[in-house]
């Protein structure tokens, strides 16, 4: 599904590249493409039934993991 959305976006860019199209119309066409792609993914999320056990991770664990990964990335970036 992501491949099809990417393909459609590339075809749109290819089509509109050398066209004399109104910038407002081009903005609405690109916004429509973005809304449609997000809508398709949200539809899949809401339509797909739940399966398997649910794993709940507390907020502070994800926050701590994010801080640790941030500092690891900074240290790696400085080492390079």
């Amino acid at each position: 599904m992501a491949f099809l959305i990417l393909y459609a976006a590339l075809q749109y860019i290819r089509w509109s590249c050398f066209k004399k199209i109104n910038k407002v119309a081009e903005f609405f066409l690109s916004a429509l493409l973005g809304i449609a792609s997000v809508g398709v993914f949200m539809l899949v999320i809401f339509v797909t039934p739940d399966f398997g056990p649910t794993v709940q991770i507390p907020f502070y664990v994800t926050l701590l993991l994010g801080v640790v990964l941030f500092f690891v990335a900074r240290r790696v970036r400085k080492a390079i």
Side-chain angles (χ1 to χ4, degrees), residues 1-14 33:
M1 186 174 354
F3 176 75
L4 290 175
I5 291 172
L6 180 63
Y7 180 76
L10 288 175
Q11 289 300 321
Y12 168 73
I13 292 170
R14 187 174 164 199
L33 179 67

Side-chain angles (χ1 to χ4, degrees), residues 15-72:
W15 172 80
S16 70
C17 190
F18 298 108
K19 297 278 185 187
K20 295 290 183 187
I21 190 169
N22 187 0
K23 292 298 179 186
V24 174
E26 185 177 3
F27 172 76
F28 282 121
L29 281 174
S30 61
L32 185 65
L33 179 67
I35 290 170
S37 63
V38 170
V40 167
F41 281 111
M42 293 304 289
L43 182 69
V44 168
I45 289 171
F46 285 123
V47 171
T48 306
D50 293 336
F51 58 92
T54 317
V55 178
Q56 294 188 5
I57 301 172
F59 173 72
Y60 63 88
V61 173
T62 56
L63 182 65
L64 180 66
L65 181 63
V67 169
V68 167
L69 288 175
F70 174 75
F71 285 116
V72 167

